[in-house]
Amino acid sequence: MAQLTFREAIARGIAQEMRRDDSVIMLGEDVGAAGGVFKGTVGLLDEFGPVRVRDTPISEQAILGAAMGAAMTGLRPIAEIMFSDFFAVCWDIVVNEIAKSRYMTNGQMTFPLVIRSGNGGGLRFGAQHSQSVENWAMMIPGLKVVVPANATDVIGLMAASIRDDDPVIFLEAKSLYASKMDVPDGDIVDTLGSAKVLRSGADATIVSLGAMVPRALAAAEELGENGINCTVVDVRSLVPLDTSTILREVVATGRLFTVEENPRLCGWGGELSSIVSEEIFYDLDGPIVRITTPHIPLPAADALEDLAIPSVERIVTTIEKAMNS
Amino acid sequence: MTTATKPTTAIDLEHRLALYRSQVALRLFETRAYDLFLENLVKGTSHLSLGQEAIAAGVAAAMRETDWTFATYRGHAHTLARGVPMTPVLAELLGRANGLMAGKGGSMHLTSVEHGVMGSYAIIGAHLPIACGAAWSAQYRGTDQVAVCFFGDGTTNIGAFHEALNFAAIWKLPVVFICENNLWMEYTRTTEVTAVAHPAADRAGAYGLESILVDGNDADAVYDVAARAIARARAGEGPSLIEAETYRHGGHSRADPGKYRPDEEVAQWKAKDPVPRYRARLVELGVDEATLVAIESEVADEVEAATEAAKAGAIPGEDLLMKDVWANGGSSWRN
Ligand SMILES: Cc1ncc(C[n+]2csc(CCOP(=O)(O)OP(=O)(O)O)c2C)c(N)n1
């Protein structure tokens, strides 16, 4: 057991896989000597050298195109897009090329690659450096979407993503980079498409993702003190989506609350609500309630950003109101 | 500026006959594809290489089997030139189950990994960075494979072109970029919207590369310049950017009659048609008429047989619809 930050867990997860598999290589802006702008790749250049850990120019299309070309010819590249907002300048490569080429070629090609990216708000960076883009990625057939919420999961899900033969968008919540936890020693390998039940309660089920997970947990603690006992589920990967765990937990309480950092429209909770209404509607005891960032660009000022992204307080009051009405 | 327009004498007759056969095959295949389009059998769109055959044939002849081709939506010729049989290519155009990708890709996405054809890409410029990635992989794994990437003149104005050129240059990647300058984008003349006269060759210097211009209607010249660029890449000396000047005989795609082009221009370029031009050269070199006629009729038979086989192909079934989104063959996104 060692205390590890979320950001240190990224480097540890990557290093674990680079040690066992020479075909794993890495590229991105400032990922080498600088160790990443969020310090997620510190030490990798020293251990694996500049042939496997490559700094690139500011060329997001080239970074992801190179990852795709390397993947289709047998390597397992890990590409970094510094801020997930920057997906907008290379989205063609992700959506039109990486996601579709296996299907279009009738299965002739595979794309075992991981695209890591700093995602979401909390750092007061304003509208172009704070977006939660998990819903962009989730809506594209052919992409897997992984969003860990703690250091241990970062390592295990990173390993699973690297070993997976399909393209994975691996979103790292920027507001969690500094979070710490005790992480077991030795190799950790997790499974994509497995949600985790973090807490059980009889009254309501809160389903959350990434940076919203610790907030959902804290809210559940508070709600428990007020007599509302909540289950908290960490979705962990949007694609594949562990609907069997989620639906089971919603059936158990009869209430679903989603806590989403993405802006309201077409957030993952909307899809989940539709699955729940289609498949377990008669197990619900009340309406599904989505707690999301409103449908606005994110403001920079700390006071305003705090109002926008779901807070523990907003989760608590929203759930209390819904449960008591 | 380097120009390499003179036919090399280094190509022996056997290879020249193969180059002729390849060009005739591309010509007759594309002509047939157009006819089938007019018969409404080629659904959707298609972009022909009629008039540009010397580039596909000449470059492919300079490649090894293990090298990679990255093509565009105008990719029938590049796919066939690598040795992919006509039947699956034609069947793909017809949307049949015996198509190269069982009908899932269509005319614009021809791919045959088995033949080193690593995809045809329909978003302008996207495949230049992807070709860099394949080249990076060859460099990393220490194989001596080379990635060859074809694109049009209009493509030199999109960001991905410039990102890829810089990227390939700084990493000294074994990739050869080949701009087929047919003077026109879709319906706009490229020089009208480009800062320089030679959209690729004039940009090469910006990436520390030699400026290379070649007569793209001369298969020998194309072969020669491609062979040198590929050898350079294979030797670890880095990328090249070649601009091959050519012309498309038809419109941009489908039924486009190409009427926006002045008649004199079309006539001038048709006079430089690479296929009869190459035939004349072979005659000049002493090849007898019977040999050439034999090649032409063999190819014509091949096109005929491919047409029949493609038309006879089954309509793709529903079993294909949900297949191969993922590496496990499926498409499931939930449990
Ligand atoms: C990003 C993007 N923009 C526009 C198009 C539409 N489009 C398809 S082909 C084409 C012209 C391309 O011209 P050029 O690069 O000269 O190639 P050519 O078709 O002449 O071979 C355009 C604009 C596209 N496919 N992708």
Side-chain angles (χ1 to χ4, degrees):
Chain A
M1 243 359 158
Q3 263 235 330
L4 220 58
T5 60
F6 191 96
R7 68 173 96 245
E8 288 164 338
I10 291 157
R12 184 168 139 190
I14 294 172
Q16 172 189 305
E17 295 308 299
M18 287 185 80
R19 278 178 211 128
R20 63 179 276 281
D21 184 352
D22 276 349
S23 69
V24 181
I25 51 176
M26 216 181 84
L27 81 169
E29 293 158 21
D30 302 309
V31 296
V37 291
F38 298 115
K39 301 289 171 214
T41 54
V42 171
L44 296 176
L45 177 69
D46 287 344
E47 181 171 355
F48 301 102
V51 171
R52 292 182 73 189
V53 178
R54 296 198 78 159
D55 281 322
T56 67
I58 307 163
S59 301
E60 278 76 11
Q61 296 183 73
I63 292 168
L64 296 190
M68 176 177 175
M72 70 163 72
T73 52
L75 299 182
R76 292 185 175 273
I78 305 169
E80 177 178 310
I81 295 298
M82 194 184 282
F83 286 76
S84 63
D85 312 70
F86 308 163
F87 271 121
V89 302
C90 51
W91 204 224
D92 167 51
I93 305 281
V94 180
V95 170
N96 288 318
E97 316 300 342
I98 290 171
K100 293 179 173 53
S101 289
R102 180 176 174 78
Y103 185 85
M104 289 199 300
T105 63
N106 197 28
Q108 289 184 56
M109 292 175 163
T110 50
F111 299 96
L113 60 86
V114 178
I115 305 172
R116 307 173 32 238
S117 194
N119 188 49
L123 303 190
R124 299 29 174 131
F125 285 172
Q128 295 180 345
H129 289 73
S130 305
Q131 292 170 88
S132 280
V133 306
E134 54 271 25
N135 53 342
W136 301 6
M138 188 190 189
M139 66 175 75
I140 307 301
L143 298 178
K144 293 183 175 172
V145 186
V146 175
V147 190
N150 64 66
T152 304
D153 281 3
V154 163
I155 299 170
L157 292 174
M158 179 71 77
S161 299
I162 293 168
R163 294 182 191 193
D164 198 275
D165 285 335
D166 293 309
V168 176
I169 307 295
F170 192 93
L171 297 173
E172 302 162 3
K174 294 199 291 288
S175 63
L176 295 181
Y177 275 129
S179 65
K180 276 190 203 157
M181 75 183 288
D182 284 332
V183 173
D185 298 326
D187 280 6
I188 305 174
V189 185
D190 212 319
T191 317
L192 303 188
S194 59
K196 252 192 200 162
V197 181
L198 301 178
R199 184 186 195 284
S200 286
D203 302 326
T205 300
I206 310 175
V207 179
S208 58
L209 182 80
M212 298 299 99
V213 173
R215 297 182 189 200
L217 277 172
E221 284 305 315
E222 228 177 290
L223 287 160
E225 285 159 21
N226 304 343
I228 301 173
N229 295 312
C230 295
T231 292
V232 174
V233 179
D234 177 357
V235 180
R236 305 204 309 153
S237 76
L238 292 173
V239 182
L241 185 64
D242 183 4
T243 48
S244 79
T245 299
I246 298 169
L247 294 183
R248 185 190 70 216
E249 295 303 322
V250 177
V251 169
T253 65
R255 291 304 297 260
L256 168 62
F257 296 89
T258 65
V259 186
E260 307 163 50
E261 190 175 347
N262 50 217
R264 178 88 186 180
L265 299 191
C266 304
W268 56 265
E271 187 58 48
L272 190 59
S273 306
S274 119
I275 295 170
V276 166
S277 347
E278 278 184 43
E279 298 178 23
I280 55 167
F281 183 75
Y282 295 105
D283 293 295
L284 291 176
D285 297 330
I288 299 165
V289 177
R290 292 178 59 206
I291 303 162
T292 74
T293 296
H295 210 62
I296 54 170
L298 274 181
D302 48 1
L304 291 174
E305 195 189 42
D306 286 344
L307 285 172
I309 298 172
S311 61
V312 175
E313 193 190 343
R314 174 140 71 97
I315 300 167
V316 169
T317 52
T318 308
I319 293 178
E320 267 178 350
K321 192 168 156 226
M323 295 300 289
N324 295 330
S325 66
Chain B
M1 177 167 302
T2 304
T3 48
T5 49
K6 282 209 187 68
T8 168
T9 46
I11 312 173
D12 61 31
L13 196 59
E14 188 194 330
H15 284 100
R16 283 208 156 114
L17 288 174
L19 260 182
Y20 182 60
R21 176 184 293 270
S22 174
Q23 291 178 85
V24 172
L26 305 182
R27 171 63 51 94
L28 297 188
F29 180 94
E30 293 288 62
T31 307
R32 177 56 51 88
Y34 187 67
D35 293 343
L36 293 173
F37 171 73
L38 292 180
E39 285 178 45
N40 204 23
L41 280 169
V42 173
K43 311 281 169 53
T45 191
S46 63
H47 305 74
L48 307 178
S49 289
L50 289 171
Q52 305 184 196
E53 295 90 342
I55 299 170
V59 176
M63 294 172 74
R64 287 189 189 161
E65 268 183 28
T66 46
D67 292 338
W68 295 305
T69 295
F70 289 82
T72 69
Y73 50 88
R74 197 180 302 288
H76 308 169
H78 295 297
T79 303
L80 294 166
R82 293 301 309 279
V84 179
M86 285 183 185
T87 298
V89 178
L90 206 50
E92 186 66 30
L93 268 51
L94 266 54
R96 302 302 167 98
N98 58 339
L100 196 56
M101 296 94 77
K104 293 175 83 170
S107 161
M108 296 203 284
H109 300 292
L110 297 174
T111 303
S112 181
V113 171
E114 185 193 341
H115 296 89
V117 181
M118 303 306 276
S120 302
Y121 298 81
I123 309 293
I124 294 295
H127 61 311
L128 281 81
I130 300 167
C132 286
W136 175 34
S137 157
Q139 182 187 63
Y140 176 74
R141 290 178 295 119
T143 71
D144 60 2
Q145 289 161 287
V146 175
V148 178
C149 181
F150 300 92
F151 51 90
D153 36 276
T155 300
T156 61
N157 289 326
I158 204 163
F161 169 88
H162 298 274
E163 289 196 15
L165 263 292
N166 181 60
F167 198 85
I170 55 165
W171 287 14
K172 271 194 142 187
L173 296 177
V175 55
V176 177
F177 297 106
I178 301 181
C179 174
E180 299 184 68
N181 183 0
N182 62 15
L183 309 187
W184 293 84
M185 297 151 38
E186 288 190 69
Y187 316 118
T188 303
R189 193 185 288 282
T190 297
T191 48
E192 282 175 17
V193 294
T194 305
V196 291
H198 288 291
D202 288 350
R203 262 87 172 245
Y207 302 104
L209 301 176
E210 191 188 351
S211 177
I212 304 173
L213 205 55
V214 67
D215 179 349
N217 280 16
D218 180 339
D220 288 338
V222 170
Y223 171 83
D224 187 53
V225 77
R228 279 189 277 138
I230 290 168
R232 191 182 126 84
R234 216 183 294 291
E237 290 163 28
S240 299
L241 173 61
I242 296 168
E243 179 174 329
E245 297 182 286
T246 186
Y247 203 71
R248 59 169 151 79
H249 286 178
H252 167 72
S253 65
R254 307 184 70 198
D256 166 27
K259 285 297 177 212
Y260 39 87
R261 307 178 303 177
D263 292 343
E264 322 79 76
E265 181 180 289
V266 177
Q268 186 197 333
W269 279 93
K270 284 207 171 159
K272 289 195 276 185
D273 186 332
V275 184
R277 193 172 163 200
Y278 204 78
R279 192 182 202 280
R281 181 174 301 152
L282 291 177
V283 170
E284 219 173 277
L285 287 166
V287 177
D288 59 16
E289 185 66 18
T291 306
L292 297 173
V293 170
I295 289 174
E296 289 151 8
S297 77
E298 279 165 30
V299 170
D301 290 348
E302 201 187 330
V303 171
E304 218 46 64
T307 307
E308 291 317 308
K311 281 183 177 171
I315 303 299
E318 208 179 336
D319 55 314
L320 285 170
L321 188 66
M322 304 301 284
K323 253 185 72 184
D324 277 321
V325 171
W326 306 126
N328 69 7
S331 59
S332 160
W333 50 271
R334 57 173 287 191
N335 57 11

